[in-house]
Amino acid sequence: MVRGAAEGLGRGQEERLRLDYDLWSKVREVIDRLDQMVAAANPDDVEAGAAVFPFTVVLDDLAGNSLVENPYAPAADPAVTTTRYDRTPTQDMALGLQPSANAKQSGAIDDADPSHKNAANAAAVPGHVEIADNLAIGRKEVISFPTDCPSCFRAATTDMCVVDIPHFKECIIMSLACEACGYRSNEVKGGGGVPTHGTRITLRCASPADLGREVLKSDTAGVAVPELDLVLEEGGLQG
C-alpha cells in the first residue's frame, strides 16, 4: 500500500515540475519518505528502519469494507486499533444513501441536526455496533459469463463467485483471463447492503514486521499517514 502511494504520487511529478516547483519539491519530500518506509520493510536495513519507525497508518472507510490482516489471529493484534463510528448525513450521501425527509425539506444537510439522519441508515440501537455472527466459509458456486477483453477486445470469460469471509462480510470475487492476449484481471468487491457504521483502522508501525500485513482497501476508504501530513482520498492510492 505504501509503495503504491509513492508510485501514484510520482506519476504526476513531471507535470508538477513544469507548473509549480515548490509543489514538486514538497511532493518529492513525501515520496522520499514513503520510499524510506518501503526500504524499512527489510529487517536487514537497520538504518532505514531507524529513520522511519515508529509511524502510523490510518485507514478510514465510510462503508466499513476495508480490513488489515491480523497475523496474531485469533488473538488481538497489539499494533491495530479498530473503531466503528456512526456516519454523518453528509457521509451517508457520499455513499449514495438518502438523508431524512427533514433534510430534503430544508434543502441542505446539517450534520449537527439529528433529524437530518435517516433512521434507515443508522443502527437499531444508537451507538450500538452490529456484528454479524456468520462463520460460513463460502458458497462455492462459480458463475461464468462472456465478456470482452479490455486489452485486445476479443471474446473472453469472466468468473464470479460470492464468498462469505468469516468475521468480515460478503464479498464478490471476479476474475478474467484472456486466452488471446494473456491479459488477466482480478477484483474483489463488497457484497450485500451498506453497513450502518464506518470503520477507522489505525496501524502503529514500530518494526518491519508490522509492515508485513495484507491490506484490503475498498474504493470508499481513505488512507492517512499523520507523520507525513499525507492524506490519500477515497478511490485509490494516487494522492
Side-chain angles (χ1 to χ4, degrees):
M1 184 176 64
V2 175
R3 183 182 292 106
E7 292 175 351
L9 289 171
R11 293 191 190 103
Q13 278 297 79
E14 185 175 341
E15 184 70 10
R16 295 188 189 101
L17 180 59
R18 186 174 64 85
L19 299 176
D20 189 335
Y21 177 81
D22 289 339
L23 177 59
W24 173 89
S25 179
K26 292 178 181 178
V27 174
R28 182 68 260 173
E29 291 178 3
V30 173
I31 293 174
D32 289 343
R33 184 70 169 173
L34 291 173
D35 287 340
Q36 279 186 314
M37 291 178 177
V38 173
N42 181 2
D44 295 330
D45 196 338
V46 179
E47 183 176 347
V52 301
F53 292 119
F55 66 92
T56 306
V57 178
V58 181
L59 188 63
D60 196 330
D61 191 343
L62 295 180
N65 289 333
S66 297
L67 187 71
V68 174
E69 179 188 12
N70 177 7
Y72 304 98
D77 190 337
V80 171
T81 301
T82 301
T83 304
R84 293 179 173 85
Y85 57 87
D86 294 321
R87 290 188 299 267
T88 64
T90 300
Q91 290 173 330
D92 285 339
M93 284 287 290
L95 295 176
L97 302 176
Q98 293 300 307
S100 68
N102 288 341
K104 294 178 181 178
Q105 290 176 358
S106 66
I109 295 178
D110 182 1
D111 289 336
D113 187 345
S115 68
H116 284 197
K117 176 74 173 182
N118 192 331
N121 303 330
V125 179
H128 173 67
V129 177
E130 300 173 356
I131 301 177
D133 184 16
N134 183 359
L135 301 180
I137 298 301
R139 299 184 182 178
K140 299 181 180 179
E141 179 182 0
V142 178
I143 301 174
S144 300
F145 54 91
T147 187
D148 292 333
C149 173
S151 178
C152 69
F153 305 105
R154 296 182 183 180
T157 300
T158 294
D159 295 327
M160 182 180 72
C161 181
V162 178
V163 177
D164 290 322
I165 300 179
H167 309 293
F168 184 47
K169 65 171 296 179
E170 181 181 85
C171 292
I172 300 173
I173 301 175
M174 303 181 68
S175 175
L176 182 150
C178 179
E179 296 182 356
C181 68
Y183 175 84
R184 293 179 179 274
S185 173
N186 296 288
E187 293 183 67
V188 179
K189 297 180 178 291
V194 178
T196 56
H197 291 81
T199 302
R200 184 178 298 108
I201 304 173
T202 303
L203 171 62
R204 183 67 171 172
C205 297
S207 69
D210 293 327
L211 293 174
R213 288 171 166 80
E214 294 291 337
V215 177
L216 175 61
K217 177 192 174 299
S218 77
D219 56 5
T220 58
V223 180
V225 182
E227 288 80 359
L228 297 179
D229 291 328
L230 174 66
V231 177
L232 306 175
E233 300 294 346
E234 296 84 354
L237 292 175
Q238 288 74 38

